[in-house]
């Protein structure tokens, strides 16, 4: 009987996945499509979307040194039955620029050292295609550019095609941009900067090039030195090339269930994962076809937990992604944002979406433009295409995983201005969920709203009041928190839906309606607004969707009315 395949959680080595009998979600059917594209290709996807594993597979497929092992690597995959004439045809140089680090003074030296080592490994692998004299000169050289020149000279004689694959092409340049500033970054990517110079060499030497990264910024700044042929990131043909489709997930889970390793209802598991890991769409045409993608690493994290412990993970967000959050903060330059870009983040946090153009490329100097900022967030996976409005895209928060990152950004801003105790708030949330005692937690946040005097200039009216409450409620583990949920043909301000998959014992659920008055509004206006809020919230509660989502709990309907910065009235209605 065949051994159950291991789950390839955290594994980006294609050959290891195959050799060690791990489950592989087949993406090889995209290879013929890629061959139909121009010779130089560029593809952006967010972190933890399977880029490195895909590039590993690409390298193995085209590597002439692996040609005789084609059946071993690909015999059970789609491409094994549909090989292309280009398989096993190329000498491959594979680079991963996330391996290049150090301070700005040592960066050129470290970059040169890394590339030299990779090029020496290249020569070790393909030495039989080069003359002894060429190899001697090659190994003796201490310069990356010299080594590339020697390869090019030899290439003219032996006529062997070369393929360049670069993973995280923008990794260290993004670090330089964020930590050293645009002037230092500009020196790397313009004029005679070593990074620009090396890309000029790449352009003339390699027959085919495939680059991946998380942003088009560096590419745009390199353009005149490296005229990349084709940007595939928003091409609908390749929307599903990375990440997992729902069909991929269902097939994989069914395999483990049939092998006896996974217990439970697969459809329920998929529905449980969707709000956390799904809903990424990178092309408008794909959206019209209903194509959404799951974050692949998150799905594998969930599956590994299910197989190991036969239950949903207590933390739906993989704790190992905390390092990603730190990197994302640096990439977004959270500590350097001006008021306009902070306003963009605030709008997205509070409303869940923004209408903007998706720019295919933009230079680093444009990052301060608030109209460009949503495109940067889109490429980082912080926004996804949810619809269109005329010639612009409706970009929305894809899932709870990303939504919690926005809430954390908001909380950091609020907490930097006026700190409140999360431990105390979490104690209140516990009694809210299990005892139905909601007054303490909502009063606590309302007091914080009032006392956060430094943030008053940034808070204007009901919309920002809602953002403040949503951010602090988001640290509540027992509920899925989402603003502006459609309930019974209306949009409630806050719906605290019990997370019964992880905390089945939660006994209380909540709809909270927030109302705002200026300090000058009359008592008559306040009363009319209150009565309107009561009608609204009862209308939300009567919908069948609410009864389904709150099944097994006592539903509380809370109206909170603020006048200026003061909580004027709060009641369960």
């Amino acid at each position: 009987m065949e051994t159950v395949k291991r789950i390839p959680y955290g594994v980006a080595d294609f050959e290891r996945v195959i050799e060690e009998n791990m489950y592989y979600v087949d993406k090889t059917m995209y290879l013929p499509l890629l061959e139909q594209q121009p010779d130089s290709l560029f593809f952006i996807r967010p972190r933890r979307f399977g880029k490195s594993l895909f590039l590993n597979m690409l390298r193995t497929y085209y590597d002439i040194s692996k040609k005789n092992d084609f059946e071993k690597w690909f015999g059970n995959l789609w491409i094994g039955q549909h090989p292309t004439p280009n398989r096993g045809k190329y000498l491959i140089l594979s680079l991963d620029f996330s391996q290049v680090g150090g301070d700005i003074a040592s960066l050129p030296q470290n970059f040169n050292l890394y590339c030299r080592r990779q090029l020496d490994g290249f020569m070790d692998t393909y030495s039989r295609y080069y003359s002894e004299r060429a190899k001697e000169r090659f190994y003796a050289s201490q310069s990356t550019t010299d080594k590339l020149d020697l390869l090019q000279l030899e290439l003219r004689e032996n006529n062997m095609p070369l393929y360049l694959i670069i993973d995280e092409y923008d990794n260290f340049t993004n670090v330089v941009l964020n930590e050293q500033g645009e002037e230092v970054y500009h020196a790397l990517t313009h004029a005679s900067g070593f990074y620009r110079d090396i890309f000029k060499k790449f352009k003339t030497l390699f027959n085919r090039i495939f680059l991946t990264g998380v942003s088009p910024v560096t590419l745009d700044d390199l353009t005149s030195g490296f005229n990349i042929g084709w940007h595939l990131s928003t091409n609908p043909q390749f929307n599903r090339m990375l990440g997992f489709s729902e069909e991929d997930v269902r097939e994989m889970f069914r395999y483990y269930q049939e092998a006896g390793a996974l217990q439970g209802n697969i459809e329920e598991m998929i529905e449980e994962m969707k709000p956390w890991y799904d809903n990424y769409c990178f092309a408008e045409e794909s959206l019209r076809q209903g194509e959404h993608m799951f974050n692949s690493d998150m799905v594998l994290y969930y599956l590994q937990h299910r197989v190991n412990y036969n239950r949903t993970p207590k933390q739906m967000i993989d704790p190992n992604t905390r390092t990603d959050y730190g990197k994302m903060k640096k990439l977004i330059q959270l500590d350097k944002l001006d008021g306009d870009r902070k306003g963009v983040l605030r709008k997205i946090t509070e409303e869940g979406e923004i209408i903007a153009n998706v720019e295919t490329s933009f230079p680093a100097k444009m990052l301060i433009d608030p109209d460009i900022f949503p495109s940067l967030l889109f490429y980082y996976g912080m926004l996804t295409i949810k619809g269109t409005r005329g010639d612009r895209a409706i970009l929305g928060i894809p899932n709870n995983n990303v939504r919690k990152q926005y809430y954390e950004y908001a909380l950091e801003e609020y907490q930097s201005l006026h700190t409140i105790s999360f431990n105390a708030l979490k104690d209140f949330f516990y009694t809210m969920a299990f005892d139905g005692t909601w007054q303490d937690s909502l009063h606590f946040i309302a007091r914080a709203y009032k006392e956060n005097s430094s943030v008053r200039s940034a808070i204007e009216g009901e919309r920002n009041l809602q953002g403040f409450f949503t951010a602090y409620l988001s640290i509540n583990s027992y509920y899925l928190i989402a603003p502006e949920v459609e309930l019974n043909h209306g949009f409630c301000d806050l719906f605290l839906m019990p997370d019964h998959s992880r905390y089945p014992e939660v006994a209380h659920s909540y709809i909270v309606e927030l109302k705002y008055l200026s300090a000058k509004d009359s008592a008559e206006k306040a009363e009319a607004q209150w009565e309107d809020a009561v009608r609204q919230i009862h209308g939300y509660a009567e919908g069948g969707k609410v009864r389904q989502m709150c099944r097994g709990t006592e539903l509380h309907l809370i109206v909170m009315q603020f006048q200026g910065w003061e909580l004027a009235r709060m009641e369960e209605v």
Side-chain angles (χ1 to χ4, degrees):
M1 183 176 178
E2 183 185 357
T3 304
V4 178
K5 293 182 183 294
R6 291 174 55 205
I7 299 167
Y9 171 69
V11 180
D13 186 333
F14 171 76
E15 293 178 14
R16 186 182 161 205
V17 168
I18 301 302
E19 279 192 325
E20 297 183 16
N21 192 36
M22 298 185 196
Y23 190 97
Y24 179 67
V25 175
D26 195 351
K27 299 291 183 176
T28 61
M29 64 287 296
Y30 287 96
L31 295 176
L33 291 175
L34 289 173
E35 290 185 8
Q36 294 169 15
Q37 306 302 311
D39 291 338
S40 296
L41 301 176
F42 177 65
F43 194 70
I44 301 173
R45 281 296 179 267
R47 295 188 184 280
R48 298 185 179 267
F49 241 79
K51 294 192 294 294
S52 297
L53 180 59
F54 184 85
L55 291 186
N56 248 263
M57 181 273 291
L58 198 73
R59 183 183 66 191
T60 301
Y61 180 75
Y62 288 110
D63 191 343
I64 195 169
S65 72
K66 306 288 177 62
K67 184 175 184 178
N68 294 334
D69 292 323
F70 177 78
E71 189 64 26
K72 172 184 175 181
W73 303 122
F74 298 100
N76 294 324
L77 302 178
W78 184 92
I79 199 70
Q81 308 305 313
H82 310 85
T84 67
N86 286 334
R87 72 175 175 94
K89 175 182 175 180
Y90 293 90
L91 280 60
I92 308 286
L93 177 62
S94 181
L95 303 172
D96 177 0
F97 287 161
S98 68
Q99 303 298 312
V100 181
D103 58 39
I104 189 63
S106 62
L107 196 56
Q109 179 182 348
N110 292 347
F111 180 78
N112 183 59
L113 180 61
Y114 170 75
C115 290
R116 276 171 41 207
R117 286 173 176 168
Q118 294 301 108
L119 281 164
D120 285 348
F122 171 92
M123 184 58 75
D124 292 343
T125 300
Y126 305 111
S127 61
R128 66 191 178 99
Y129 299 105
Y130 292 90
S131 67
E132 290 301 321
R133 181 173 175 273
K135 284 186 283 188
E136 183 178 336
R137 292 176 60 195
F138 184 90
Y139 286 125
S141 172
Q142 300 299 302
S143 164
T144 295
T145 53
D146 286 348
K147 287 180 182 289
L148 291 172
D149 285 339
L150 288 168
L151 286 185
Q152 189 167 26
L153 286 172
E154 207 54 23
L155 176 67
R156 293 181 185 139
E157 296 180 14
N158 60 31
N159 199 31
M160 292 300 299
L162 301 180
Y163 203 134
L164 174 66
I165 297 173
I166 302 181
D167 196 5
E168 301 211 37
Y169 90 101
D170 54 347
N171 182 273
F172 73 86
T173 48
N174 281 334
V175 172
V176 169
L177 177 61
N178 286 282
E179 295 184 359
Q180 303 295 328
E182 190 181 339
E183 185 175 341
V184 176
Y185 169 85
H186 190 274
L188 289 180
T189 56
H190 293 71
S192 58
F194 73 85
Y195 197 59
R196 177 188 171 93
D197 284 347
I198 208 74
F199 271 80
K200 286 182 181 178
K201 297 286 185 183
F202 291 159
K203 177 183 176 182
T204 58
L205 176 59
F206 290 91
N207 301 80
R208 292 192 72 89
I209 300 174
F210 195 99
L211 278 69
T212 70
V214 296
S215 138
V217 175
T218 302
L219 180 77
D220 191 276
D221 288 315
L222 288 168
T223 295
S224 59
F226 179 69
N227 189 18
I228 194 73
W230 209 251
H231 186 172
L232 297 175
S233 307
T234 56
N235 184 321
Q237 283 185 289
F238 300 97
N239 185 61
R240 296 169 54 152
M241 190 166 75
L242 296 186
F244 293 160
S245 68
E246 186 173 327
E247 293 82 358
D248 292 333
V249 174
R250 184 173 288 108
E251 184 178 343
M252 178 167 54
F253 279 42
R254 189 177 294 125
Y255 165 81
Y256 283 99
Q257 188 174 71
E258 291 174 353
L262 180 65
Q263 310 299 317
N265 186 302
I266 291 175
E267 296 307 315
E268 289 180 2
M269 294 179 203
I270 290 174
E271 288 305 309
E272 184 175 56
M273 286 188 291
K274 275 185 177 181
W276 291 94
Y277 312 145
D278 192 18
N279 296 319
Y280 293 95
C281 184
F282 302 98
E284 292 179 10
E285 295 89 339
S286 299
L287 182 71
R288 288 192 281 272
Q289 296 169 14
E291 287 186 4
H292 296 97
M293 301 304 292
F294 283 81
N295 179 301
S296 49
D297 276 28
M298 290 294 178
V299 171
L300 295 175
Y301 159 77
Y302 177 96
L303 176 60
Q304 187 72 67
H305 212 283
R306 275 279 188 176
V307 168
N308 285 356
Y309 308 110
N310 194 28
R311 60 175 171 80
T312 300
K314 280 282 185 183
Q315 300 181 65
M316 288 295 285
I317 300 175
D318 183 352
N320 290 326
T321 62
R322 292 303 303 171
T323 56
D324 290 347
Y325 173 67
K327 289 178 181 178
M328 193 66 67
K329 285 174 61 179
K330 287 186 177 181
L331 290 172
I332 293 176
Q333 298 180 297
L334 195 66
D335 58 336
K336 303 174 185 176
L337 293 182
D338 53 35
D340 289 337
R341 285 178 294 164
K342 283 185 178 179
V344 170
L345 277 180
R346 192 176 299 119
K347 177 180 175 62
I348 295 167
T349 304
E350 293 163 1
E351 301 180 26
E353 63 185 35
I354 192 168
I355 297 170
N357 291 316
V358 176
E359 304 293 343
T360 55
S361 66
F362 38 88
K365 65 183 180 182
M366 295 295 291
L367 290 179
I368 59 172
D369 186 339
D371 290 336
I372 294 294
F373 194 44
S375 292
L376 189 69
L377 296 173
F378 166 75
Y379 288 113
Y380 289 160
M382 299 292 291
L383 291 173
T384 193
I385 298 174
K386 300 186 80 172
T388 56
R389 183 179 181 185
D391 61 351
R392 293 182 296 168
I394 301 172
L395 300 176
I397 300 174
N399 49 49
N400 292 333
N401 184 5
V402 177
R403 184 174 285 109
K404 286 186 77 70
Q405 293 184 50
Y406 280 101
Y407 293 157
E408 289 191 42
Y409 297 147
L411 284 171
E412 286 184 20
E413 182 178 355
Y414 295 142
Q415 288 288 93
S416 70
L417 298 167
H418 177 81
T419 303
I420 69 173
S421 169
F422 282 2
N423 283 333
L425 193 53
K426 287 180 178 180
D427 287 340
F428 292 144
F429 287 154
Y430 180 88
T431 60
M432 187 178 190
F434 299 102
D435 302 331
T437 306
W438 51 268
Q439 294 87 346
D440 291 339
S441 59
L442 297 183
H443 269 300
F444 191 90
I445 300 174
R447 283 195 300 273
Y449 178 75
K450 176 186 175 182
E451 292 168 3
N452 204 326
S453 56
S454 299
V455 82
R456 287 182 186 178
S457 60
I459 294 181
E460 300 173 357
E462 185 175 357
R463 174 62 68 186
N464 290 312
L465 172 67
Q466 179 179 325
F468 191 91
F469 266 78
T470 301
Y472 279 101
L473 285 168
S474 72
I475 69 171
N476 190 330
S477 301
Y478 312 112
Y479 297 97
L480 300 177
I481 311 296
E484 295 289 338
V485 176
E486 184 176 6
L487 300 175
N488 202 25
H489 308 295
F491 290 88
C492 71
D493 287 336
L494 293 168
F495 178 40
L496 281 65
M497 184 177 75
D499 190 355
H500 274 152
S501 62
R502 293 186 296 155
Y503 299 97
E505 65 274 26
V506 169
H508 301 269
S509 52
Y510 298 87
I511 300 176
V512 180
E513 191 69 14
L514 299 168
K515 292 300 179 185
Y516 178 84
L517 297 162
S518 74
K520 299 178 181 179
D521 285 332
S522 66
E524 291 79 9
K525 182 175 180 179
E527 185 60 32
Q529 185 191 66
W530 182 269
E531 291 176 1
D532 184 52
V534 172
R535 283 194 297 272
Q536 282 180 325
I537 202 167
H538 279 287
Y540 302 146
E542 290 168 1
K545 183 178 180 180
V546 174
R547 289 193 294 272
Q548 176 68 20
M549 291 189 288
C550 297
R551 187 176 54 209
T553 66
E554 180 181 349
L555 176 62
H556 301 264
L557 309 179
I558 314 297
V559 177
M560 302 179 70
Q561 188 177 52
F562 284 78
Q563 189 143 22
W565 317 117
E566 297 276 356
L567 176 61
R569 186 176 178 184
M570 178 172 72
E571 293 178 17
E572 181 171 358
V573 297

